[in-house]
Amino acid sequence: MTPVIAVKEVYKSFHTVRAVNGIDLTVHEGQFTALLGPNGAGKTTLVEMIEGIQTPDSGEIRVLGLAWNGNEDRLHRAIGISLQETRFIDRLTVTETLRLFAGFYDLGKTRVYEIMDIVNLGEKADAYTVNLSGGQRQRLALGIALINRPKILLLDEPTTGLDPNARRDIWSILLDLKRHSNTAMVLTTHYMEEAEYLCDYIMIIDRGTVLREGTMDQLLSNDAADKIISFSLEPPHPPRVDIENNSPFPIHWHPGNSRGTITVSSVEADLPVFFDFINKRGLRLKNMECRRRTLDDLFTGMTGRRLDE
């Protein structure tokens, strides 16, 4: 089956900065793929090359089996795009804005009303875009991206800066799209929950390079140690370096406080060892939790940094 997006050995630099460093990406019909990484990882640059906005220095990008050169009109009609921040004409209403974009595809009022229903903006039909909340503006931007019934949806950090409820509203729209269409989606995000909740396949990217990729199960099963014990200590306690030098497990300390984490393969076997160490060193636990490994833990283990740093 021909993929809807095929990226092969793509490189892109800006002056002395290598933004994308030999990335391969394959997306099939109906597949939701996340490009997960911190700010500056190269996610947006990669998506802009898939959109045809940027041109690779080298490598090949094919969308629906086609190169951009010479196929611009056909590909623009098959793709929906929503950027991290979309600017609207302030004195147009929601309805007028959607009718404007529908006109680009020779679509009528029926599709406008369908989109208002999909993104739950019916009550704001006559509201000026300048008066919309941040979440409503992003839902309008998503509605515009969906208005042409795209085969491919490209979303660049669509929920950054939104409150949890507004973020969930966007997620609900996208999950409904996933259930009722064959649209493929590429989503850039630095929220691990968003990638895990929405996407079938995840590529973890940092500094223009793919660190790891796969389904959630594949990503988190590549390491035998997949349980996390997170803890903080009651003061006073010895310096961190003294605790680390005597600990039976490597400790990752979080900046700015006394919270640390250790990674173990068996909570049942390793937790008693950890308690024994705490007692023998005269330390006191302030709090502690055991949880499964997350994408943020995986990223921290590979880079020494958190996704949101």
Side-chain angles (χ1 to χ4, degrees):
M1 182 173 60
T2 303
V4 295
I5 298 174
V7 176
K8 297 181 181 178
E9 281 293 305
V10 165
Y11 290 82
K12 182 68 177 180
S13 296
F14 299 98
H15 302 293
T16 60
V17 177
R18 178 64 62 80
V20 175
N21 189 21
I23 286 182
D24 296 317
L25 169 65
T26 301
V27 180
H28 292 280
E29 184 180 66
Q31 179 180 322
F32 276 29
T33 296
L35 306 180
L36 176 66
N39 293 329
K43 308 184 303 294
T44 295
T45 301
L46 177 58
V47 168
E48 286 181 348
M49 288 189 287
I50 295 171
E51 293 168 353
I53 297 173
Q54 299 274 1
T55 302
D57 295 335
S58 63
E60 181 182 59
I61 295 177
R62 290 194 170 269
V63 180
L64 301 176
L66 303 171
W68 271 99
N69 189 24
N71 297 292
E72 292 87 352
D73 185 64
R74 180 176 174 183
L75 292 179
H76 282 142
R77 288 182 173 275
I79 292 176
I81 299 172
S82 180
L83 306 177
Q84 183 173 339
E85 183 178 356
T86 303
R87 296 190 180 276
F88 303 109
I89 301 172
D90 290 348
R91 303 304 290 180
L92 286 185
T93 66
V94 168
T95 301
E96 290 166 342
T97 301
L98 288 172
R99 289 184 67 179
L100 173 66
F101 283 90
F104 297 153
Y105 300 99
D106 299 319
L107 299 172
K109 293 181 180 179
T110 300
R111 184 57 179 164
V112 168
Y113 297 138
E114 288 174 353
I115 287 295
M116 278 197 288
D117 185 56
I118 288 170
V119 299
N120 194 25
L121 283 176
E123 293 183 356
K124 294 293 180 178
D126 297 322
Y128 290 123
T129 61
V130 70
N131 295 325
L132 299 178
S133 68
Q136 290 165 349
R137 292 175 69 85
Q138 281 303 92
R139 278 188 277 140
L140 177 57
L142 182 55
I144 290 169
L146 293 173
I147 203 161
N148 60 325
R149 299 182 180 89
K151 294 181 179 179
I152 299 169
L153 182 63
L154 303 172
L155 305 182
D156 190 12
E157 303 274 4
T159 66
T160 295
L162 299 184
D163 64 60
N165 287 334
R167 185 174 297 139
R168 287 280 177 177
D169 288 341
I170 298 292
W171 291 3
S172 178
I173 294 166
L174 293 175
L175 284 180
D176 195 57
L177 174 72
K178 188 176 185 179
R179 284 191 293 265
H180 297 106
S181 77
N182 288 320
T183 299
M185 181 182 76
V186 176
L187 165 80
T188 76
T189 183
H190 60 267
Y191 297 125
M192 64 172 185
E193 299 93 343
E194 187 162 84
E196 180 177 357
Y197 191 72
L198 293 175
C199 295
D200 313 299
Y201 197 84
I202 299 167
M203 296 181 69
I204 300 176
I205 299 176
D206 188 41
R207 295 170 182 169
T209 301
V210 177
L211 301 182
R212 192 166 293 181
E213 61 183 294
T215 65
M216 274 294 297
D217 287 343
Q218 290 169 341
L219 288 171
L220 298 182
S221 67
N222 283 344
D223 298 284
D226 60 357
K227 301 295 189 301
I228 300 294
I229 297 174
S230 180
F231 68 94
S232 60
L233 300 173
E234 293 278 7
H237 50 73
R240 290 179 177 182
V241 64
D242 291 346
I243 300 174
E244 291 172 3
N245 289 341
N246 293 281
S247 172
F249 307 101
I251 300 175
H252 171 74
W253 294 103
H254 296 258
N257 55 40
S258 298
R259 188 161 59 95
T261 57
I262 59 175
T263 305
V264 300
S265 55
S266 170
V267 171
E268 293 80 5
D270 294 329
L271 191 56
V273 176
F274 179 67
F275 282 149
D276 187 57
F277 161 71
I278 292 291
N279 291 329
K280 285 183 177 179
R281 300 297 299 176
L283 304 173
R284 292 187 302 159
L285 287 171
K286 184 176 182 180
N287 56 55
M288 188 196 73
E289 66 170 336
C290 299
R291 55 180 175 80
R292 72 181 182 93
R293 192 175 177 86
T294 67
L295 294 175
D296 201 16
D297 298 318
L298 181 62
F299 183 81
T300 300
M302 291 186 289
T303 67
R305 296 176 288 117
R306 296 176 61 85
L307 280 164
D308 56 3
E309 288 182 1

